[in-house]
Amino acid sequence: MVLSLYVVLFLALHLLPGVKSSMANLNNNGYDGIVIAINPGVPEDEKLIQNIKEMVTEASTYLFHATKRRVYFRNVSILIPNTWKSKSEYSMPKQESYDQADVIVANPYLKYGDDPYTLQYGQCGEKGQYIHFTPNFLLTNNLPIYGSRGRVFVHEWAHLRWGIFDEYNVDRPFYISSRNTIEATRCSTHITGINVVFKECQGSSCITRPCRRDSQTGLYEAKCTFIPEKSQTARDSIMFVQSLDSVTEFCTAKTHNTEAPNLQNKMCSSRSTWDVIMDSDDFRNASPMKGTDPPPHPTFSLLKSKQRVVCLVLDKSGSMSSEDRLFRMNQAAELYLIQIIEKGSLVGMVTFESLATTLNYLTEIIGDNAYEKITANLPQEASGGTSICSGLRAGFQAIIHSNQSTSGSEIILLTDGEDDQISSCFEEVKQSGAIIHTIALGPSAARELETLSNMTGGYRFYANKDINGLTDAFSRISSRSGSITQQAIQLESKALNITGRKWINGTVPVDSTIGNDTFFVVTWTIQKPEILLQDPKGTKYEASDFKVDKLNIRSARLRIPGIAETGTWTYSLLNKHAKSQMLTVTMTTRARSPTTLPVIATAHMSRSTTHYPSPMIVYAQVSQGFLPVLGINVTAIIETEDGHQVILELWDNGAGADTVKNDGIYSRYFTEYHGNGRYSLKVHAQARNNIARLSLRQQQNRAMYIPGYVENGKIIPNPPRPEVKDDVSEAKVEDFSRLTSGGSFTVSGAPPAGSHTPVFPPGKITDLEAKVKDDHIQLSWTAPGNVLDKGKEKMLFNLSFPM
């Protein structure tokens, strides 16, 4: 199989949420602010909204009793895509968006079923990213297979909100207990059933036989299946099989099966699910509601996405004249307006120092004339003080003046200055309903800046010594609507310090999923270099083909005509000046067509703030649609406030910081702190030498597909679950390059750089396995390094015994 064979894949053509900032919060036992977002690619269907309401209403009561009267769902927003028709009952969203939703409704990530699942790759007790329901799951009767939709929602909510894991294991469905009996992997062991091999099924009748024992493993043969009894007395656990009528609770310390080889035991050190839930932030201060009355039914708000509205609020105070900051800001803002912002968006611009000036009210980005009206007004001089609130207020007025609401609009706020009055407009910002993305430039930017992005669900970035830091930040601020084929993708972002009169060469792969609206940009600090760019078919572009900016912001831009050729592009740059100068290369593109799913990369840290010596985890997700991309090189570049860079290779090996092997989530512990302050994260994902592949296997952390039940001694089968055959479990992926910013994070309590010794222990062994080989047992595990997962290697240990 190759990547272009989309006919075998039932893929959603839209963006997956990357960095999550859930609006859900718990107040007086009720969850408010839950967002369920429907993908723009889902056809309009009123029944979908009705079924979502019914699912959440049922789930609320089930959750209330499962948590012993502690929590329920109170207020839920359903985000309608702008591809659906407008209706009077639809309100305008504030900070709610598809990318930040708790639940997304989108077409399946492959054609092999509609299993609900939660994208969850954090450590035990850490929140997941989102729950994914398919339209087919919500619109058809799946009661025999998964149980009621409300029960399934509670199973997935436990993954998402409390960071607990499944208590079954598809890969290891049986284990040998301490009593030397073969048991189904489950919790609790009070759930009864039979173990059989299906020989043949016709309709509601199946021919089965008892499972045979494998002499090599001591377990049942590979095709053996555990079929639960329909009628049970066991009340737990929801994380094993929520579909059984009797199951209404989570496993507790008394009922938890510590021997089962499931992800809950692996990730949570054999703690029960209820123990982890009770230790969560939600439950530490949540007492059971008094009385016997059930909770009130949830209330629902229907919100419809609107046309994207963005206002740039840019600092032009006196400090912006240092270190070429004004130039760098203008270069990055111009790139954003020409190459990143989606066509059809409304964009305005405000600058500020002690006072604010509105340079452009909202302009619809349609053709070249539109963005030229804005770029022509980029500030050319820096002077004055810093009043961030003045800039924000002017930004709000620029939006309102253009007959748009600030609610749901976006502000991109860039500043390098301190401002002790910034908190004076926090309440105005909160009331505006706007989303504030903040970019802190340099080490002196106001420390309260991140509060603005945190309170509004915006992105937060930091740029300092990395000359491409601003470009990378702006490139990350795409639409949150879920329409990935409209969004810009960054292929290259490189800073090159070239000595006088010297050439430097480089390559950028362009794969067949991209190539529309492709730009190649070169910037310089002293003198325009000689530029040679060649496509895979030999067509050459020279410096004369590049458009040099009229505003003297030292950049040259080439828009590749039509669709960029697939293959390796090569470039050569000559520093024509006698002295060394810094050159940068940036390449961006979009999906090849509205029906072509591009490979994308997103990145973030496990937390936005940390206090030394608490370690953090770097996460990068590389996917095509909902399918993970495997076998690639993923590198994280972390820049500290003083400009020091730490480079980490991220791994998808299921050990150390990585939860599950081969799920397209590349992870690594970060422990190399260099003082306090802001740190920035950038990730480069590269597929090389044609070894990358697309995984077609089902996700982890999903509601279990029940093959059938035993009722009155007879097996009642469910329809067989579509499985991925071994010969099509992976598809080849062309070589590609993706670069993405992971935003910024803040460190406190760290000693100065170089003044401390490592205080982090070796990582925990989580993948110990035993296999019988001839006359001995072979144990294998990934050995931890001296500092968490630093310095790991695969080790084997053999233990012989007489057979």
Side-chain angles (χ1 to χ4, degrees):
M1 290 182 66
V2 294
L3 194 61
S4 58
L5 294 181
Y6 292 106
V7 291
V8 281
L9 309 176
F10 231 69
L11 300 170
L13 297 177
H14 302 277
L15 180 67
L16 313 183
V19 182
K20 278 306 304 293
S21 179
S22 173
M23 299 176 66
N25 60 89
L26 184 66
N27 294 307
N28 297 323
N29 300 97
Y31 283 111
D32 299 322
I34 297 168
V35 178
I36 300 175
I38 301 173
N39 191 282
V42 173
E44 187 166 357
D45 191 332
E46 187 67 33
K47 185 67 173 174
L48 199 58
I49 297 174
Q50 185 60 37
N51 285 6
I52 289 172
K53 290 180 177 180
E54 291 175 2
M55 174 184 71
V56 176
T57 301
E58 181 201 359
S60 182
T61 302
Y62 187 59
L63 179 69
F64 185 68
H65 293 299
T67 58
K68 301 174 175 56
R69 302 181 59 82
R70 282 178 172 81
V71 296
Y72 64 97
F73 299 127
R74 183 162 48 213
N75 293 306
V76 178
S77 296
I78 301 175
L79 188 61
I80 311 297
N82 56 16
T83 51
W84 289 24
K85 295 175 184 177
S86 295
K87 294 185 178 180
S88 58
E89 62 263 35
Y90 295 166
S91 303
M92 188 175 294
K94 290 189 175 182
Q95 286 100 15
E96 297 90 351
S97 69
Y98 181 87
D99 278 14
Q100 303 295 314
D102 303 290
V103 182
I104 60 172
V105 179
N107 290 323
Y109 64 96
L110 42 71
K111 69 174 185 178
Y112 300 101
D114 295 286
D115 286 356
Y117 73 91
T118 301
L119 182 63
Q120 174 193 13
Y121 47 75
Q123 302 299 296
C124 181
E126 293 182 1
K127 291 181 175 65
Q129 301 299 299
Y130 60 83
I131 297 168
H132 178 192
F133 293 126
T134 67
N136 192 48
F137 170 80
L138 291 168
L139 293 171
T140 58
N141 178 22
N142 300 288
L143 187 64
I145 297 171
Y146 305 106
S148 67
R149 282 189 282 264
R151 285 175 170 241
V152 171
F153 187 28
V154 171
H155 175 101
E156 300 305 332
W157 183 260
H159 283 306
L160 180 76
R161 188 72 185 182
W162 305 315
I164 59 177
F165 297 86
D166 287 323
E167 292 173 319
Y168 65 89
N169 189 334
V170 173
D171 296 323
R172 297 185 63 187
F174 297 96
Y175 68 98
I176 299 175
S177 73
S178 57
R179 301 188 307 276
N180 203 30
T181 60
I182 301 178
E183 298 287 345
T185 301
R186 67 198 191 281
C187 192
S188 70
T189 54
H190 296 142
I191 290 179
T192 58
I194 62 172
N195 306 313
V196 297
V197 173
F198 286 95
K199 296 178 69 177
E200 183 182 354
C201 289
Q202 289 186 348
S204 62
S205 178
C206 285
I207 300 174
T208 63
R209 63 170 174 80
C211 298
R212 302 188 184 105
R213 196 162 185 160
D214 186 307
S215 60
Q216 287 291 309
T217 64
L219 297 169
Y220 289 134
E221 59 194 297
K223 293 183 178 181
C224 185
T225 304
F226 174 75
I227 309 295
E229 298 275 356
K230 183 71 174 174
S231 178
Q232 302 271 351
T233 58
R235 290 186 291 181
D236 44 20
S237 170
I238 292 170
M239 299 314 290
F240 173 59
V241 56
Q242 74 287 330
S243 59
L244 293 173
D245 291 342
S246 69
V247 172
T248 56
E249 298 177 0
F250 295 95
C251 265
T252 64
K254 289 183 179 179
T255 58
H256 181 59
N257 179 7
T258 59
E259 296 183 343
N262 54 38
L263 207 53
Q264 173 64 23
N265 280 332
K266 172 187 172 181
M267 295 302 301
C268 297
S269 302
S270 298
R271 295 168 65 196
S272 73
T273 52
W274 184 245
D275 184 30
V276 176
I277 291 170
M278 287 299 291
D279 201 33
S280 68
D281 292 338
D282 286 350
F283 280 64
R284 282 174 187 158
N285 300 310
S287 301
M289 290 176 64
K290 295 179 181 179
T292 58
D293 293 338
H297 285 323
T299 59
F300 296 92
S301 302
L302 301 181
L303 312 174
K304 187 173 185 292
S305 301
K306 66 172 189 175
Q307 183 179 16
R308 192 180 188 200
V309 176
V310 178
C311 187
L312 306 183
V313 177
L314 307 177
D315 188 348
K316 62 175 289 289
S317 61
S319 56
M320 288 292 289
S321 62
S322 65
E323 299 182 10
D324 262 353
R325 287 177 183 168
L326 197 70
F327 270 110
R328 289 167 58 193
M329 180 184 75
N330 287 346
Q331 287 172 346
E334 183 187 58
L335 179 138
Y336 182 73
L337 292 166
I338 297 174
Q339 300 174 219
I340 306 301
I341 189 74
E342 296 79 14
K343 301 297 184 287
S345 302
L346 297 173
V347 182
M349 185 169 68
V350 165
T351 57
F352 68 93
E353 18 94 14
S354 300
L355 301 173
T357 304
T358 302
L359 301 177
N360 295 87
Y361 293 108
L362 297 182
T363 300
E364 188 169 14
I365 302 298
I366 299 176
D368 291 349
N369 292 337
Y371 68 74
E372 286 175 356
K373 289 179 183 177
I374 305 175
T375 58
N377 291 327
L378 286 166
Q380 299 302 301
E381 293 183 0
S383 63
T386 303
S387 176
I388 292 171
C389 286
S390 295
L392 289 173
R393 292 182 182 117
F396 295 151
Q397 286 304 310
I399 293 169
I400 294 169
H401 183 272
S402 304
N403 298 317
Q404 293 291 322
S405 170
T406 56
S407 184
S409 297
E410 298 169 69
I411 298 280
I412 299 177
L413 171 63
L414 185 153
T415 184
D416 76 334
E418 298 178 359
D419 182 358
D420 58 7
Q421 298 297 311
I422 188 172
S423 60
S424 65
C425 59
F426 281 176
E427 189 57 35
E428 291 173 69
V429 168
K430 193 180 298 183
Q431 294 300 319
S432 74
I435 300 165
I436 314 291
H437 308 296
T438 59
I439 304 176
L441 178 57
S444 300
R447 292 295 163 188
E448 301 85 355
L449 199 60
E450 283 79 6
T451 304
L452 291 168
S453 49
N454 291 342
M455 74 166 61
T456 63
Y459 295 127
R460 46 185 285 176
F461 301 96
Y462 171 64
N464 188 18
K465 299 295 184 183
D466 182 355
I467 197 169
N468 266 4
L470 286 182
T471 296
D472 298 336
F474 272 102
S475 297
R476 180 66 183 86
I477 308 175
S478 297
S479 165
R480 296 178 165 195
S481 68
S483 298
I484 187 177
T485 56
Q486 299 176 14
Q487 296 174 355
I489 297 169
Q490 198 172 6
L491 305 183
E492 181 66 288
S493 173
K494 188 172 287 186
L496 309 160
N497 192 3
I498 305 178
T499 56
R501 317 294 187 194
K502 294 293 184 182
W503 285 92
I504 193 163
N505 304 312
T507 61
V508 183
V510 173
D511 57 274
S512 63
T513 71
I514 55 174
N516 187 35
D517 201 27
T518 304
F519 288 88
F520 190 89
V521 182
V522 176
T523 71
W524 56 91
T525 52
I526 302 175
Q527 180 184 359
K528 180 185 175 184
E530 187 63 47
I531 307 170
L532 295 176
L533 177 66
Q534 181 172 301
D535 76 10
K537 289 190 173 181
T539 302
K540 295 181 179 179
Y541 303 92
E542 299 181 352
S544 58
D545 298 310
F546 284 68
K547 184 177 180 180
V548 178
D549 190 87
K550 299 174 183 177
L551 296 176
N552 189 32
I553 57 175
R554 303 191 290 250
S555 69
R557 174 177 285 99
L558 173 69
R559 182 173 186 170
I560 308 299
I563 302 294
E565 291 289 345
T566 298
T568 300
W569 288 65
T570 60
Y571 62 85
S572 300
L573 305 177
L574 170 64
N575 178 11
K576 296 189 291 186
H577 200 272
K579 295 182 180 179
S580 296
Q581 69 167 327
M582 187 69 74
L583 306 180
T584 72
V585 173
T586 303
M587 193 170 182
T588 64
T589 188
R590 298 183 198 271
R592 180 162 291 258
S593 74
T595 57
T596 301
L597 255 180
V599 173
I600 60 166
T602 58
H604 67 102
M605 301 298 294
S606 54
R607 295 185 302 280
S608 59
T609 60
T610 191
H611 187 83
Y612 183 87
S614 177
M616 297 185 76
I617 299 175
V618 188
Y619 292 114
Q621 181 185 9
V622 187
S623 59
Q624 188 189 21
F626 294 101
L627 298 176
V629 179
L630 313 179
I632 62 175
N633 299 101
V634 182
T635 304
I637 303 100
I638 296 173
E639 183 182 6
T640 66
E641 190 158 285
D642 62 5
H644 176 79
Q645 283 195 349
V646 178
I647 297 176
L648 279 177
E649 182 183 351
L650 307 186
W651 296 324
D652 183 16
N653 61 358
D658 195 62
T659 304
V660 177
K661 184 177 182 178
N662 289 339
D663 63 351
I665 308 298
Y666 296 78
S667 319
R668 194 77 183 275
Y669 282 108
F670 172 69
T671 59
E672 296 182 45
Y673 296 113
H674 281 248
N676 296 324
R678 295 182 173 106
Y679 288 50
S680 67
L681 168 66
K682 178 164 64 176
V683 165
H684 193 188
Q686 294 175 290
R688 300 171 177 165
N689 304 319
N690 296 309
I691 61 172
R693 59 203 189 278
L694 204 62
S695 173
L696 311 184
R697 294 195 176 278
Q698 294 280 14
Q699 291 273 10
Q700 298 275 343
N701 308 312
R702 64 178 189 262
M704 185 164 65
Y705 192 105
I706 304 299
Y709 298 95
V710 179
E711 199 165 3
N712 298 322
K714 181 182 177 183
I715 294 176
I716 308 298
N718 285 321
R721 180 171 168 271
E723 294 289 348
V724 181
K725 296 179 181 179
D726 289 340
D727 60 346
V728 292
S729 61
E730 294 179 350
K732 291 181 180 178
V733 180
E734 303 157 78
D735 287 356
F736 66 83
S737 173
R738 298 291 186 270
L739 193 136
T740 185
S741 170
S744 66
F745 60 100
T746 307
V747 175
S748 62
S755 65
H756 63 284
T757 56
V759 295
F760 303 100
K764 184 174 71 170
I765 295 174
T766 59
D767 59 350
L768 178 66
E769 289 187 356
K771 293 182 180 179
V772 176
K773 289 283 185 85
D774 299 325
D775 63 345
H776 62 273
I777 295 176
Q778 185 182 74
L779 302 179
S780 65
W781 68 92
T782 303
N786 292 330
V787 178
L788 294 173
D789 58 7
K790 189 175 181 180
K792 301 185 315 180
E793 59 179 313
K794 197 74 175 178
M795 296 184 66
L796 295 177
F797 176 76
N798 292 327
L799 174 66
S800 296
F801 69 97
M803 296 292 287

